[in-house]
Amino acid sequence: MKDLQADVVVVGFGAAGACTAMEAREAGAEVLVIDRFGGGGATAMSGGVVYAGGGTTVQRAAGVEDTVDAMVDYLRQETGGAISEETLRRFCAGSADQIAWLAERGVPFEPSLCPYKTSYPTNRHYLYYSGSELANRDIAPPAPRGHRTRGRGTSGKLFYARLAAAARSRGVRVLAQTRAVRLVTDESGRVTGVEASTLAGAPAWARLTHRVLHRFSVKPGLYVPALGRSLHRPVAWIERRFGRPVSISATRGVVLAAGGFVFNRPMLREHAPLYRGGLPLGTPGDDGSGIRLGVEAGAATDRLDRLTIWRFITPPAALQHGVLVDSAGHRICDESRYGAAIGDAIMRSDKRKAWLLVDREILAEARGQLRSQTLWFQRVQASWLLRKDRVAGPTLAAVAQRAGVDADALAVTVKDHNAAAAAGAPDPAGKAPDLVRPLEHPPYSLIDCSIRPRMAQPAPMLTLGGLVVDENTGQVRRADGSPVPGLYAAGRTAVGVCSNSYVSGLSLADCVFSGRRAGRQMGGPDADRG
């Protein structure tokens, strides 16, 4: 294949790559995007939720009041210093515009507010509390900020499809089935292009097989990683056998938007060895290759030890009235928090084991909510929790013995919880008063919420750290703070808004925010030209 050239070369065609490409193209740059597979990455596998607030058109249509200050105050706790205060405020102040920008490019949203706490709403609702806002109401007035793309099921596929179509319609060139191998630099160290391996000239059967096998390996890989790796081996073989080198020059520079490294087991063992038992959320393209390319060009990294691992208690919403304890019988956290916060708390708990204690009334209410509050995959998981992963007993001591939980400590935990509930006093774990109920109606149940590999109750995880970038431009930085000329990064390849902790929609929102930032810089009059 002959060598290629563009003003801007983007590595990766997920949300971050598509938004980068569109902004650069709309500013007048010639843009070429390369993707190892067909595009989409973890974005297409996601729920299609964008975290946004401060008074978006969707919030206003739903009658929701929200302010930029409230959004900043809440997210300050979640971001934990991963970005500066100035960048956080800029992200929040531009949030409403971001939803409008996506809508103009065909991403559909809807102001149907979910009336109960859930990890992901059904097809009746598309605006919901997607984080721990209700659990942090003492910090900031809570508001629902999870803007789910309007589409049946998990709507990340539709979200990505609309972005990809918008990018192509604006003249962005896309070279699929092309893997970046290394960055090209000139004598000064400026990044001037990419050396890649492409299947563009491979036999038609090889390209088709590569595309089909990759597609079929992704979903099984989420639930059974070993099966996903097995299905993907022929894909890698086709790349080795039929891939041909191609040089792509970038007159303005390169943007790395190739995802994280959750599918790179050596990197996980090196940087986050405690995160075992989670199932990687992404595709084999999330192998850290974008981060590797940046490091080889001199870039610094940060927060590679930060992963998010999810253990959702809801739906059904009634289960947040229970008490989550570890094997020692001690309370783990506020049960109304977002699944990533619960997962993080379980990872730090005794033996990474956790059980949710409920009584007869809460269990009956949860069963009654099962059909109305869940999509099919949530129904399967919740049904398994309530039937197969539950032990019961007529007393606290009996149920503790069956689960292997310290009975004496559990009794003290429940006593403190019930006393606070009866007196209207603050909950020991900080749960909102309207969610606190005394547990006093036997029989009692302990539901196993531990994090361990299992198909019925997967604990998805993804990486949050990446290359250090200038927060005003997205340009990659060296360890001494100096820029790497001609190199930018966005999405989960870079440190960003969600690099400390995760709530639903924050990664996609950061992909759009950081992608647009890099695209504007590369496409505008101030583009780095060395």
Side-chain angles (χ1 to χ4, degrees):
M1 185 176 183
K2 66 179 182 179
D3 294 346
L4 302 173
Q5 180 176 324
D7 293 331
V8 179
V9 174
V10 181
V11 180
F13 196 37
C19 292
T20 299
M22 272 190 280
E23 283 285 8
R25 179 62 185 149
E26 289 171 10
E30 290 293 327
V31 183
L32 174 63
V33 181
I34 65 172
D35 192 277
R36 181 181 174 187
F37 304 111
T43 297
M45 295 183 63
S46 74
V49 178
V50 179
Y51 193 90
T56 70
T57 55
V58 178
Q59 288 179 314
R60 294 199 303 270
V64 170
E65 294 185 5
D66 193 15
T67 67
V68 171
D69 285 342
M71 187 178 177
V72 169
D73 289 342
Y74 168 65
L75 283 182
R76 187 182 295 116
Q77 313 303 313
E78 299 287 4
T79 56
I83 56 173
S84 68
E85 180 76 11
E86 293 76 16
T87 300
L88 175 60
R89 182 161 289 278
R90 188 165 63 249
F91 171 79
C92 296
S95 184
D97 171 72
Q98 188 153 286
I99 290 295
W101 186 87
L102 290 168
E104 288 169 1
R105 282 147 186 81
V107 179
F109 298 103
E110 182 183 288
S112 47
L113 181 61
C114 186
Y116 51 83
K117 178 66 175 175
T118 182
S119 61
Y120 191 76
T122 68
N123 295 324
R124 299 189 307 276
H125 305 115
Y126 290 91
L127 178 66
Y128 72 115
Y129 288 93
S130 64
S132 299
E133 298 87 358
L134 293 170
N136 286 273
R137 65 183 74 193
D138 58 327
I139 296 172
R145 302 189 182 105
H147 291 60
R148 177 189 165 199
T149 303
R150 192 187 187 286
R152 296 187 63 79
T154 51
S155 45
K157 185 176 181 180
L158 175 62
F159 176 85
Y160 167 72
R162 294 297 175 86
L163 285 183
R168 286 190 167 96
S169 72
R170 284 159 172 77
V172 172
R173 290 183 292 158
V174 180
L175 185 60
Q177 297 179 305
T178 301
R179 179 171 56 89
V181 176
R182 70 179 185 90
L183 297 176
V184 178
T185 57
D186 63 16
E187 298 82 358
S188 68
R190 183 180 183 278
V191 175
T192 59
V194 178
E195 294 288 346
S197 176
T198 183
L199 294 179
W205 71 263
R207 298 196 304 272
L208 176 62
T209 303
H210 180 271
R211 184 168 59 250
V212 171
L213 288 181
H214 167 68
R215 184 187 308 138
F216 280 103
S217 73
V218 169
K219 279 290 185 180
L222 176 60
Y223 296 97
V224 188
L227 176 59
R229 290 192 296 270
S230 177
L231 291 172
H232 210 265
R233 288 191 189 104
V235 175
W237 177 83
I238 290 173
E239 292 174 343
R240 292 192 301 270
R241 173 64 179 81
F242 295 102
R244 295 294 180 264
V246 59
S247 295
I248 309 171
S249 63
T251 57
R252 298 187 186 181
V254 174
V255 182
L256 299 174
F261 62 93
V262 75
F263 269 77
N264 188 319
R265 289 192 290 173
M267 284 186 72
L268 289 176
R269 285 194 295 267
E270 177 183 358
H271 298 290
L274 297 179
Y275 284 82
R276 302 183 309 276
L279 296 175
L281 179 59
T283 77
D286 292 291
D287 60 357
S289 57
I291 296 171
R292 173 186 61 79
L293 290 170
V295 169
E296 290 175 352
T301 60
D302 193 20
R303 299 186 180 248
L304 296 184
D305 61 329
R306 291 300 301 155
L307 270 69
T308 178
I309 190 166
W310 311 337
R311 170 56 71 225
F312 291 113
I313 291 177
T314 61
L319 293 181
Q320 65 188 318
H321 300 302
V323 170
L324 191 68
V325 299
D326 60 16
S327 58
H330 300 138
R331 186 90 171 268
I332 290 178
C333 66
D334 173 355
E335 297 77 15
S336 69
R337 294 184 67 81
Y338 176 65
I342 294 174
D344 193 54
I346 294 175
M347 291 292 290
R348 297 194 306 267
S349 68
D350 183 45
K351 302 176 184 177
R352 300 194 309 170
K353 293 185 177 180
W355 287 266
L356 183 69
L357 178 69
V358 298
D359 63 7
R360 169 173 45 84
E361 288 194 352
I362 294 174
L363 181 63
E365 185 176 343
R367 284 172 168 164
Q369 295 169 343
L370 197 58
R371 181 160 295 277
S372 63
Q373 293 188 359
T374 58
L375 294 172
W376 73 266
F377 66 92
Q378 295 169 312
R379 195 169 306 139
V380 169
Q381 295 171 12
S383 297
W384 187 276
L385 269 181
L386 297 178
R387 296 170 185 168
K388 300 295 184 180
D389 279 348
R390 180 179 65 88
V391 296
T395 64
L396 289 174
V399 74
Q401 182 178 18
R402 290 201 62 189
V405 173
D406 185 292
D408 293 336
L410 180 64
V412 172
T413 296
V414 174
K415 180 181 177 182
D416 292 343
H417 169 81
N418 286 353
D427 176 63
K431 188 157 62 178
D434 57 314
L435 298 177
V436 179
R437 295 185 188 176
L439 299 172
E440 52 189 13
H441 302 283
Y444 298 98
S445 296
L446 280 169
I447 301 169
D448 190 353
C449 298
S450 306
I451 292 178
R452 62 179 189 271
R454 49 183 176 173
M455 285 184 63
Q457 287 299 323
M461 66 179 186
L462 54 84
T463 59
L464 302 178
L467 303 174
V468 176
V469 297
D470 183 306
E471 294 183 11
N472 292 312
T473 64
Q475 188 170 18
V476 170
R477 295 293 189 182
R478 298 187 178 99
D480 63 3
S482 63
V484 178
L487 186 62
Y488 293 74
R492 297 285 57 78
T493 303
V495 173
V497 176
C498 69
S499 289
N500 178 67
S501 62
Y502 180 86
V503 300
S504 272
L506 197 57
S507 182
L508 280 189
D510 185 40
C511 285
V512 179
F513 173 75
S514 62
R516 293 183 66 194
R517 176 180 63 190
R520 285 193 298 266
Q521 185 68 20
M522 296 294 281
D526 296 326
D528 170 41
R529 293 173 174 82

